[in-house]
Amino acid sequence: MHIDGDPQETAEWLESLEAVRRAAGAERAEYLLRRLATSSRSINTVPTSEEPDYPGDLALEERITAYDRWNAAAMITRGSRLGLGGHLATYASAAWLYEVGFNHFFHAEHDQIYFQGHASPGVYARAFFEGRLSRDQLDLFRREPEGGLPSYPHPRAMPDFWQFPTVSMGLGPLNAIYQARFNRYLHHRGIKDTSRSHVWAFLGDGEMDEPEATAALTLAAREGLDNLTFVVNCNLQRLDGPVRGNTRIVPELEGVFRGAGWHVVKALWGREWDPLLASDELVARLDVIPDGQFQTFAASTGAYIRQHLLHGLDGLDGLDVPYSDEDLRRIVGGSRAGHEPRKVHAAYRRALDQRGAPTVILVQTVKGWTLGAGIEARNANHQMKKLTQDEFRALRDRLGLPVPDDALDGDLPPYLHPGPDSPEARYAAERRRALGGSVPSRKVAHHPLAAPSERPFLSAQKGSGQPVATTMAFVRLVKELMREPGTGRRWVPIVPDEARTFGMESLFPTAKIYSPLGQRYEAVDRDLLLSYKEAVDGQILLEGITEAGSMASFTAAASSYATHGEAMIPFYIFYSMFGWQRTGDQMWALADQMGRGFLVGATAGRTTMTGEGLQHADGHSQLLASANPACLAYDPAFAYEVSVIVRDGLRRMYGPGGEDVFYYLTLYNEPMPQPAMPEGVQEGIVKGIYRYAAGGGQAHLLASGTAIHWALAAQRLLREEYGVGVDVWSVTSWSELRRDAMTTTGVPYLRQALHGTEGPVIAVSDWMRAVPDQIRPWIDRPWASLGTDGFGLSGTRESVRRHFGVDPRSITDAVLKAVEAAERGGPR
């Protein structure tokens, strides 16, 4: 579009179109342009005449693909005898999309591939063909308790095999975009040369309905991520039924991606379509046939196709073509670009040759291809978990595989392999050697980071003469850690928006905000000390109003130690309400991907956000976080607790052990006194509890987060007005105390901490009661918990705390009742 080869002709065409616009209106001019534009028509972007030479041995590749098709179906069918099953149809439609990649495109050393989750049986079958998996392992598909293969791509279950969890649909495309973006981030910051890396994301057309699937398309185009290719398998079917019954998914997706600024490559029809596509009238008909009808063509006779495609469609005149009904059944019913390696290779090659923007390949297939008439293009094929032995015989004949009839006399089909010294096996091995090794593969060479010096932690541990919010204390701590030689540059601050709300504007002048374009404008606040500064080598990922995008960035950074061999230390700070509640699925995928870093739920709790009301008031994220086995969830009360937890997190995640965990810290925006750290409390902070203020021991107040201040106020009231002495304990993690109690073979740490004390226990927090109630089974004395159950509401902090009954006076009343009951020998 930037180079005009014939300006005079261009001027004449524009003059003609302008005349049409004046005479008949803009809609008429636009209609003519759309009829003329081949980019919006139902034809292949790369015509057969422009296809590059195929670089491989097609005969050998066809036999390898046949083995993989068979073994994927056999593995699922053999598992079905135990009621396990699996998904047959997805890989059957996409087999060549993967095989062409395995043989010619997927570079093991620097590419990242997001495999479509439901196609995992085919990936296992390919790994079996390469000798990476055994027959016994295939027979344990979906039998993980016996050491078998997980149903879908799960890195935590197969840490040397899968790189990315993708079966929670929509997260794969989102994460792929931010992975490609993070690759550029590493390169621009001089941490690793990622100029050769390419991200491939294999997706389903139905999956594109997930809002996350298209949420970041404009980001990818805006940042020119030509290191990214989406391959959308348009088999026109969802998990159940057509993707678009009455309309057409390919032009819809084409419009979405073109509008977002992507290159679009369409690979729709096989070579046998070429004579048919020479008819402009037939192409025009293809442009209006709804997908539901075309799905029917794939499962119909040639006579049906002739009647409904070539004759009588919406009153159109019939088209005569020199094809028999059998020809039409074969071509219209099944000839798709996605089933022809030359077409797939041409599309991939075109995608990699295009620069300046990401590319999406819209490739058409038939779901369940080669599996027989009972499965191909059928609405129910996603739920079909096995083939009969007769269907395997038909599959054998169709694929031309050497399987004698007597091998199919039993209940289970055999696995097939031509032998490690066969031409097929040697060819597959040679192709993978040329591309750097096998994929998928996850390789971790743990390189511990140097522990930070004592200096960054001292300020928080000394306390503050002025009230400081724990959110601000955390940001100050990280700012100091980012100045550490060696490891400081590895911190990745991530914030969706409102960085100034979290006090992060102090990072702008030094760390700067990452942008591959630099800063092409003068910031409106340029005269301020803490002005907005963007830079190509900026360290801060300021994502805009997208928690989903921020989590995707966090995941890419948190797993960089495995995907790039470069450990990064991300922290993602957000309104706590919009973390586990809004993007919890991504946090589970993060755990699956074994990400490491700090999630920071700021402005936490249900009573600290004055005036915000129901949807902004978080009283449950600590409970949601506690359900994730990889998450260490803390609710620190003081700045020194924050510093101890962060230091321990750095040791556990980035020290010699390199644990596959991540941390969730809830922080508060309410400025409160920050005392100096008492002696000998570090272990208790990490383990989850320590006695902060002894007061007589008649009762024990266990408090977390901001609630410690209400507990301390109640302690004073009890002493001064009622002469009751209570101890106040800081509980930094209810869930870690529970986890320890459930897993230890000795005395739980909670009981060790409370050993030697007597009197009732009253727990209080800014969370719903179920959060502190996690430790109730290990409290062997009278127990009561106070919390913020229910919806949030607007109001002053004091009034909202009175409403929920967690203010100092309510705590005092609860303690008095508990002490009185204990003295009477009341119920425990």
Side-chain angles (χ1 to χ4, degrees):
M1 293 295 293
H2 299 292
I3 301 174
D4 191 342
D6 192 339
Q8 181 177 346
E9 184 182 36
T10 300
E12 292 171 357
W13 278 110
L14 290 175
E15 184 178 349
S16 298
L17 287 169
E18 176 61 22
V20 171
R21 188 191 67 80
R22 286 196 301 268
E27 290 185 359
R28 176 61 179 169
E30 184 175 343
Y31 172 80
L32 293 174
L33 288 171
R34 289 185 180 278
R35 283 298 303 267
L36 182 66
T38 58
S39 63
S40 63
R41 302 180 72 195
S42 296
I43 59 176
N44 294 338
T45 301
V46 183
T48 301
S49 60
E50 295 181 15
E51 291 174 8
D53 292 337
Y54 196 78
D57 186 325
L58 265 177
L60 285 176
E61 291 185 25
E62 285 173 353
R63 290 204 291 275
I64 293 169
T65 305
Y67 280 106
D68 290 347
R69 286 182 181 277
W70 177 278
N71 288 325
M75 176 180 67
I76 294 168
T77 299
R78 291 169 72 92
S80 68
R81 71 189 188 278
L82 300 176
L84 297 171
H87 298 289
L88 290 161
T90 297
Y91 174 72
S93 72
W96 276 114
L97 305 184
Y98 293 112
E99 294 298 332
V100 171
F102 284 133
N103 291 323
H104 304 292
F105 289 94
F106 300 158
H107 289 266
E109 295 176 351
H110 49 74
D111 284 358
Q112 286 127 11
I113 301 100
Y114 288 75
F115 291 93
Q116 190 178 2
H118 290 106
S120 60
V123 181
Y124 289 141
R126 172 71 185 209
F128 169 69
F129 190 87
E130 294 178 14
R132 302 176 63 199
L133 297 176
S134 68
R135 284 177 168 83
D136 289 342
Q137 286 176 293
L138 295 190
D139 257 352
L140 291 176
F141 175 59
R142 291 197 171 197
R143 294 171 63 185
E144 291 184 73
E146 295 101 316
L149 305 177
S151 53
Y152 301 123
H154 293 304
R156 186 168 283 272
M158 292 184 73
D160 299 323
F161 192 85
W162 295 113
Q163 274 196 310
F164 307 109
T166 52
V167 82
S168 189
M169 286 187 286
L171 299 192
L174 179 68
N175 284 347
I177 289 173
Y178 281 89
Q179 181 66 57
R181 193 278 204 97
F182 189 74
N183 293 352
R184 290 281 174 84
Y185 172 89
L186 290 177
H187 186 80
H188 287 150
R189 293 198 54 223
I191 290 173
K192 182 178 181 180
D193 181 0
T194 60
S195 57
R196 298 174 61 200
S197 72
H198 200 84
V199 176
W200 298 82
F202 288 84
L203 318 168
D205 48 355
E207 180 178 7
M208 300 310 294
D209 283 347
E210 290 283 5
E212 296 91 347
T214 54
L217 298 186
T218 53
L219 167 80
R222 187 166 65 246
E223 299 204 0
L225 298 181
D226 51 18
N227 60 340
L228 171 67
T229 297
F230 276 15
V231 181
V232 182
N233 180 10
C234 297
N235 58 33
L236 312 185
Q237 290 183 244
R238 290 190 180 118
L239 307 184
D240 186 2
V243 176
R244 297 289 183 272
N246 295 306
T247 56
R248 299 168 59 240
I249 189 61
V250 169
E252 178 182 323
L253 290 178
E254 180 180 11
V256 168
F257 280 93
R258 286 196 191 280
W262 288 51
H263 298 302
V264 177
V265 174
K266 289 183 293 186
L268 307 179
W269 314 111
R271 287 192 172 204
E272 287 193 292
W273 274 87
D274 286 353
L276 292 173
L277 296 176
S279 166
D280 287 339
E281 181 59 36
L282 181 60
V283 172
R285 293 188 180 193
L286 293 176
D287 288 341
V288 297
I289 293 177
D291 285 352
Q293 183 63 48
F294 217 89
Q295 181 188 344
T296 301
F297 288 158
S300 299
T301 64
Y304 179 92
I305 293 170
R306 188 182 301 278
Q307 177 184 352
H308 290 82
L309 175 62
L310 303 182
H311 300 288
L313 181 67
D314 293 333
L316 296 175
D317 294 335
L319 292 175
D320 292 324
V321 296
Y323 290 114
S324 67
D325 285 353
E326 176 57 25
D327 291 334
L328 287 177
R329 185 203 63 78
R330 186 185 70 256
I331 298 171
V332 177
S335 179
R336 303 289 188 273
H339 303 321
E340 297 186 10
R342 288 188 180 90
K343 296 290 183 186
V344 175
H345 173 266
Y348 287 5
R349 188 72 268 157
R350 175 65 63 89
L352 293 184
D353 289 343
Q354 295 182 140
R355 311 307 300 168
T359 297
V360 61
I361 300 171
L362 303 175
V363 57
Q364 200 157 264
T365 67
V366 174
K367 193 167 186 178
W369 183 240
T370 74
L371 296 181
I375 294 181
E376 289 176 355
R378 302 293 177 176
N379 280 339
N381 59 21
H382 191 76
Q383 304 304 322
M384 295 177 180
K385 309 299 185 185
K386 62 181 179 180
L387 299 181
T388 67
Q389 294 299 65
D390 285 341
E391 287 172 324
F392 269 107
R393 289 185 178 90
L395 180 64
R396 171 202 62 187
D397 296 342
R398 188 167 186 175
L399 299 178
L401 289 168
V403 187
D405 282 337
D406 59 7
L408 295 172
D409 287 342
D411 295 331
L412 300 176
Y415 295 117
L416 301 181
H417 198 288
D421 295 324
S422 65
E424 296 91 341
R426 291 199 302 270
Y427 179 85
E430 184 279 326
R431 291 310 309 141
R432 290 316 312 162
R433 279 194 299 270
L435 292 169
S438 295
V439 293
S441 179
R442 184 178 181 273
K443 300 176 182 178
V444 178
H446 180 60
H447 304 292
L449 299 181
S453 66
E454 186 78 19
R455 183 185 55 80
F457 304 98
L458 291 179
S459 177
Q461 293 173 7
K462 289 179 180 177
S464 171
Q466 298 293 326
V468 175
T470 50
T471 300
M472 181 60 70
F474 174 83
V475 172
R476 289 177 180 176
L477 172 63
V478 172
K479 183 178 179 181
E480 291 300 313
L481 288 168
M482 288 171 64
R483 293 172 177 169
E484 284 284 290
T487 57
R489 64 198 295 262
R490 295 189 175 272
W491 283 86
V492 184
I494 301 168
V495 60
D497 197 28
E498 295 193 78
R500 296 180 189 275
T501 298
F502 306 129
M504 291 181 64
E505 70 271 23
S506 61
L507 300 179
F508 290 171
T510 53
K512 301 182 178 63
I513 300 161
Y514 171 73
S515 169
L517 303 177
Q519 186 160 326
R520 298 178 174 180
Y521 62 94
E522 287 190 341
V524 68
D525 60 356
R526 63 190 180 278
D527 295 329
L528 301 179
L529 177 63
L530 303 180
S531 65
Y532 203 84
K533 287 186 172 64
E534 300 187 58
V536 172
D537 61 348
Q539 193 167 354
I540 305 167
L541 293 176
L542 191 57
E543 302 292 11
I545 305 176
T546 168
E547 288 85 3
S550 300
M551 266 307 302
S553 273
F554 183 86
T555 300
S559 56
S560 180
Y561 73 94
T563 53
H564 288 292
E566 296 286 349
M568 305 299 287
I569 313 172
F571 79 88
Y572 164 35
I573 189 167
F574 50 91
Y575 275 57
S576 67
M577 188 67 166
F578 303 130
W580 287 92
Q581 174 168 297
R582 192 164 195 163
T583 57
D585 192 15
Q586 289 178 275
M587 292 168 179
W588 277 89
L590 168 73
D592 194 346
Q593 200 166 320
M594 292 176 283
R596 304 169 184 171
F598 297 95
L599 294 174
V600 183
T603 60
R606 187 154 280 159
T607 74
T608 63
M609 285 285 288
T610 55
E612 298 292 347
L614 188 152
Q615 285 185 266
H616 281 61
D618 172 23
H620 51 276
S621 71
Q622 279 286 336
L623 191 64
L624 297 176
S626 71
N628 191 302
C631 178
L632 282 69
Y634 285 89
D635 187 35
F638 302 118
Y640 68 78
E641 294 179 351
V642 172
S643 72
V644 171
I645 294 165
V646 169
R647 192 173 194 177
D648 186 65
L650 293 174
R651 177 189 63 82
R652 291 186 64 173
M653 295 184 290
Y654 301 97
E659 296 182 51
D660 294 324
V661 297
F662 63 93
Y663 280 62
Y664 177 57
L665 279 72
T666 44
L667 304 177
Y668 299 85
N669 66 325
E670 186 176 4
M672 299 297 284
Q674 297 298 335
M677 184 169 70
E679 292 289 334
V681 298
Q682 288 92 332
E683 181 185 23
I685 292 172
V686 171
K687 293 282 191 177
I689 188 172
Y690 66 95
R691 180 156 36 195
Y692 175 74
Q698 290 177 263
H700 300 272
L701 279 171
L702 277 56
S704 71
T706 192
I708 193 101
H709 301 285
W710 323 330
L712 291 169
Q715 183 189 48
R716 290 191 296 271
L717 282 173
L718 287 161
R719 181 181 64 248
E720 295 170 1
E721 296 186 12
Y722 302 97
V724 175
V726 301
D727 293 352
V728 174
W729 300 71
S730 178
V731 178
T732 53
S733 179
W734 305 99
S735 58
E736 283 302 293
L737 289 174
R738 174 180 173 81
R739 186 173 292 171
D740 169 76
M742 293 177 65
T743 58
T744 186
T745 57
V747 179
Y749 187 81
L750 174 62
R751 286 185 172 171
Q752 293 180 43
L754 294 175
H755 179 70
T757 68
E758 297 178 352
V761 173
I762 297 89
V764 61
S765 74
D766 212 14
W767 309 98
M768 57 192 299
R769 290 179 177 87
V771 174
D773 282 350
Q774 292 176 89
I775 68 171
R776 174 67 184 94
W778 296 274
I779 300 294
D780 55 355
R781 63 186 75 180
W783 165 276
S785 61
L786 307 178
T788 56
D789 294 68
F791 291 109
L793 67 164
S794 301
T796 65
R797 290 175 177 133
E798 293 75 13
S799 66
V800 174
R801 286 168 187 160
R802 283 195 301 273
H803 169 82
F804 284 114
V806 292
D807 61 307
R809 179 56 64 182
S810 298
I811 297 172
T812 298
D813 292 343
V815 171
L816 292 173
K817 289 178 183 178
V819 170
E820 182 181 357
E823 291 175 348
R824 293 199 313 264
R828 295 166 62 85

